[in-house]
Amino acid sequence: MHMVKADVKMDIYSHNDHIAGHVREYLGKHGIYAVNVMGAPGAGKTTSLERLMKHLPGKVYVIEGDIESDLDTERLRRQNVPAAQINTFGACHLDAPLVHNAVHAMAFPEPGILFIENVGNLVCPAELTIGENSKLLIVSVTDGSDKPYKYPLAFEKADVVLLNKVDLLPYLDFDEEFFMKGLRHLNKVAPVFKVSGKTGEGYAEAAQWLTRAAASAAGQ
Amino acid sequence: MHMVKADVKMDIYSHNDHIAGHVREYLGKHGIYAVNVMGAPGAGKTTSLERLMKHLPGKVYVIEGDIESDLDTERLRRQNVPAAQINTFGACHLDAPLVHNAVHAMAFPEPGILFIENVGNLVCPAELTIGENSKLLIVSVTDGSDKPYKYPLAFEKADVVLLNKVDLLPYLDFDEEFFMKGLRHLNKVAPVFKVSGKTGEGYAEAAQWLTRAAASAAGQ
């Protein structure tokens, strides 16, 4: 909400970051590595989590952030994944206080990875930290190769990128070189894994990256 | 930005709506019917405008709203479409003051339709009027059939819906009945046109609807 005066916005951000620090510390004590999962509506966030889980050796927890509905949480619970729902009822992204409350209502009986699936939105979620250790950005090839140019912040802040729905590439005019040029202009280091939620390809490699990142954060 | 106190938010909205009224009045005097084009990143907004134009009998003007970049504006200008660029530099949607300034910098030598392409975002643009006569929502079948359930406001507020990329339906598990059930729960009246930016199918019918809506607004 850019119309809010800059000083109000600064106050909101510093309050948020303060609470995000608490969330990160609390999760760290429980041996939980937190991943902020960002992407546009329909990028394949929940499907990607389902695919990643199958390749992750440890325990997985999920917080689902949605404006309304708990479709994805119910879907995960049917698979016996410990999943909590946050509904923002209008707000376009999660913030640290919302995640703080959800995290304190959850049980973390063993160490593992907590995926926090943000509201489907390629703009606002990138502005705020919510206590995560890393940001996982999921983009779909069906959305076109110009996305890094138009929505730079999410690409700039990503620690790892999943380029999803590659099974549809034969039917699209996706320009991978243009996409990668735009991404690398903003972000020199984030690895990009080409995946398909439909076929499952690529998720084993992405899960390996996450496993290493979690181990490294735990000082192992 | 839901963390802003409710009264601040109310003030922002009423100021915005006041200016939106001015924009609508100014455009009306010039015989311009304004369409607020909303949709997630990659829904095919600009491509759909290019397709619609070919079937619209009168003059067409475009304002492109993007966080950064003027890729789409340059693309339209190469086709001799009078197009103006608004860059929000971070903000997740257009607002009436931004549109007000853009509209006053444009020339409207003859009556017609002004498309105002909002920032790619299925959440925030639906919250604000920007001086439009109607809201055109573009959604892609590649994003899945659950979108009305997860992002209700945009579907509730839409006057007309384009369901895009139907050429990809054979390769997807899109559940049209579920989509329509979710949409009709929120919005009983908005017509839905199935279109393909790639093949051009469906746009003639959608353009007919727009032509009639514009004529009706002009009291013809």
Side-chain angles (χ1 to χ4, degrees):
Chain A
M1 181 71 74
H2 59 288
M3 291 166 296
V4 177
K5 289 202 182 72
D7 52 345
V8 175
K9 199 162 170 176
M10 286 297 288
D11 280 356
I12 291 169
Y13 281 5
S14 81
H15 176 66
N16 180 82
D17 290 354
H18 179 73
I19 296 179
H22 279 301
V23 172
R24 200 175 294 110
E25 193 187 334
Y26 178 83
L27 292 173
K29 277 185 193 157
H30 289 77
I32 302 295
Y33 182 82
V35 182
N36 183 354
V37 182
M38 309 187 302
K45 292 183 287 302
T46 310
T47 303
S48 289
L49 296 190
E50 290 170 341
R51 289 291 190 181
L52 283 169
M53 278 173 206
K54 293 186 179 125
H55 300 284
L56 290 168
K59 185 85 178 163
V60 169
Y61 307 86
V62 177
I63 293 175
E64 283 288 333
D66 286 290
I67 295 175
E68 297 193 22
S69 98
D70 59 356
L71 292 171
D72 294 338
T73 298
E74 287 305 314
R75 179 170 142 188
L76 292 167
R77 283 180 182 158
R78 282 194 295 273
Q79 301 165 66
N80 297 314
V81 177
Q85 178 72 49
I86 298 177
N87 282 128
T88 66
F89 296 110
C92 52
H93 59 82
L94 295 178
D95 60 29
L98 285 169
V99 173
H100 178 273
N101 294 346
V103 155
H104 280 270
M106 290 175 85
F108 297 106
E110 38 182 308
I113 293 184
L114 167 64
F115 290 107
I116 308 169
E117 186 181 325
N118 222 310
V119 175
N121 184 332
L122 201 48
V123 185
C124 315
E127 290 182 12
L128 284 181
T129 55
I130 52 174
E132 73 271 31
N133 297 95
S134 64
K135 293 182 199 284
L136 167 65
L137 177 64
I138 306 182
V139 285
S140 164
V141 292
T142 57
D143 289 345
S145 36
D146 56 358
K147 293 298 150 297
Y149 302 87
K150 292 184 177 171
Y151 308 91
L153 193 64
F155 290 89
E156 186 189 320
K157 298 253 178 161
D159 295 295
V160 53
V161 177
L162 300 190
L163 187 57
N164 192 14
K165 308 193 191 178
V166 294
D167 57 287
L168 294 172
L169 280 173
Y171 317 109
L172 303 170
D173 309 310
F174 186 80
D175 184 342
E176 192 181 331
E177 201 183 316
F178 185 65
F179 175 85
M180 287 304 298
K181 194 182 151 194
L183 170 62
R184 285 297 170 234
H185 180 72
L186 300 159
N187 188 324
K188 300 268 178 274
V189 295
V192 177
F193 296 100
K194 293 189 215 182
V195 299
S196 163
K198 191 161 190 175
T199 68
E201 82 174 87
Y203 287 103
E205 293 78 4
Q208 240 175 32
W209 185 92
L210 278 173
T211 304
R212 276 198 216 113
S216 162
Q220 290 163 5
Chain B
M1 180 70 78
H2 59 288
M3 291 165 298
V4 176
K5 289 200 182 74
D7 52 346
V8 175
K9 200 162 168 175
M10 287 296 289
D11 280 355
I12 291 169
Y13 281 5
S14 83
H15 176 65
N16 179 82
D17 290 355
H18 179 72
I19 296 179
H22 279 301
V23 172
R24 199 175 294 109
E25 194 188 333
Y26 178 83
L27 292 172
K29 276 184 195 159
H30 288 77
I32 302 295
Y33 182 82
V35 183
N36 182 355
V37 182
M38 310 188 300
K45 293 182 288 302
T46 310
T47 302
S48 289
L49 296 190
E50 290 170 340
R51 289 292 191 180
L52 283 169
M53 277 172 209
K54 292 185 182 129
H55 300 284
L56 290 168
K59 184 86 179 162
V60 169
Y61 307 86
V62 178
I63 294 175
E64 283 287 332
D66 286 290
I67 295 175
E68 297 192 22
S69 98
D70 60 356
L71 292 172
D72 294 338
T73 298
E74 287 305 314
R75 179 170 141 188
L76 291 167
R77 284 180 182 158
R78 281 194 295 274
Q79 300 165 66
N80 296 314
V81 178
Q85 179 73 48
I86 297 176
N87 282 129
T88 65
F89 297 110
C92 51
H93 58 82
L94 295 178
D95 60 30
L98 284 169
V99 173
H100 179 272
N101 294 344
V103 155
H104 280 271
M106 290 176 83
F108 298 104
E110 39 182 308
I113 293 184
L114 167 65
F115 291 107
I116 308 169
E117 186 182 325
N118 222 309
V119 175
N121 184 331
L122 201 48
V123 185
C124 315
E127 290 182 12
L128 284 182
T129 56
I130 52 175
E132 72 271 31
N133 297 95
S134 65
K135 293 180 200 284
L136 167 66
L137 177 63
I138 306 182
V139 286
S140 164
V141 292
T142 58
D143 289 346
S145 36
D146 56 358
K147 294 298 149 296
Y149 302 87
K150 291 184 176 169
Y151 306 91
L153 193 64
F155 290 88
E156 186 188 320
K157 298 252 178 162
D159 295 297
V160 52
V161 177
L162 300 190
L163 187 57
N164 194 13
K165 307 194 191 179
V166 294
D167 57 286
L168 294 171
L169 280 173
Y171 318 110
L172 304 169
D173 309 311
F174 185 80
D175 183 342
E176 191 180 331
E177 201 182 317
F178 185 64
F179 174 85
M180 287 304 298
K181 193 181 152 195
L183 169 63
R184 285 298 170 232
H185 181 71
L186 300 159
N187 188 325
K188 299 268 178 276
V189 295
V192 177
F193 296 98
K194 294 190 211 178
V195 298
S196 164
K198 191 163 190 175
T199 70
E201 82 174 87
Y203 287 102
E205 294 78 4
Q208 239 175 31
W209 185 92
L210 278 173
T211 303
R212 275 197 218 114
S216 163
Q220 290 162 2

